[in-house]
Amino acid sequence: MRTFLIPGLLWFSAIGCGLMAGLYYAFSTFIMAALGRIAPASGMAAMNAINVDILRSSFLPLFLATSIAAGLLAVIGALRWGEPGALAMIAGGAIYLLGMFGVTVFFNVPLNDALVAAGDGTGSAGIWARYLKEWTMWNHVRTLSSIAALALYIAALVQR
């Protein structure tokens, strides 16, 4: 059983990071741009609807499970420092937890909460413009962090 734990966590984390990277990539490359081209009230309403529905989808369990697995891999890598792939597991976990989980919790979610608090968007063109710029910038960080962690988990699998 133990012989399958680390490879299983690496595979799960690599796939989870890849799925998260793909979702974030879509938002960074075309979803936010499309929302930015429509009327602010409509864009705000659409983004608020997305934020409600994403939490009801399979996103949240995958988001949490991949974050937990990343943390476990960082700890396992530290405990097995001399083994092949340990450094990649530590780096992958640290990058994912800081660049994806941390950025989500400390930047994207508060921006989402502020968007809800702004109401129906009437007279909120400035709020929407700021939201689009800041949320998308932080989403780029999440995208790149997820891709980097994915690459590091693949490197750890190869090294093992």
Side-chain angles (χ1 to χ4, degrees):
M1 168 75 172
R2 288 181 55 172
T3 58
F4 297 111
L5 176 66
I6 296 172
L9 280 172
L10 284 167
W11 276 106
F12 175 80
S13 296
I15 292 167
C17 288
L19 290 168
M20 299 307 281
L23 174 68
Y24 297 145
Y25 180 79
F27 272 91
S28 282
T29 57
F30 61 88
I31 294 172
M32 297 308 285
L35 291 176
R37 282 195 305 276
I38 60 179
S42 298
M44 291 171 74
M47 191 65 186
N48 282 329
I50 289 168
N51 288 332
V52 168
D53 286 345
I54 202 164
L55 295 177
R56 296 179 181 162
S57 71
S58 59
F59 167 82
L60 190 56
L62 181 66
F63 173 88
L64 293 173
T66 305
S67 297
I68 290 167
L72 288 171
L73 285 169
V75 169
I76 291 168
L79 294 173
R80 296 176 174 238
W81 177 250
E83 294 183 17
L87 182 58
M89 290 190 297
I90 294 168
I95 289 169
Y96 193 76
L97 290 175
L98 292 173
M100 193 294 296
F101 186 82
V103 165
T104 300
V105 169
F106 293 111
F107 297 102
N108 292 91
V109 169
L111 286 166
N112 291 344
D113 293 344
L115 192 65
V116 170
D120 65 3
T122 306
S124 300
I127 292 170
W128 180 235
R130 181 181 149 264
Y131 176 90
L132 283 169
K133 180 181 177 186
E134 291 181 20
W135 192 96
T136 304
M137 177 194 66
W138 288 114
N139 194 65
H140 293 336
V141 173
R142 297 191 305 176
T143 304
L144 294 172
S145 297
S146 297
I147 292 167
L150 165 63
L152 286 162
Y153 292 144
I154 292 171
L157 281 164
V158 169
Q159 291 170 12
R160 295 183 59 81

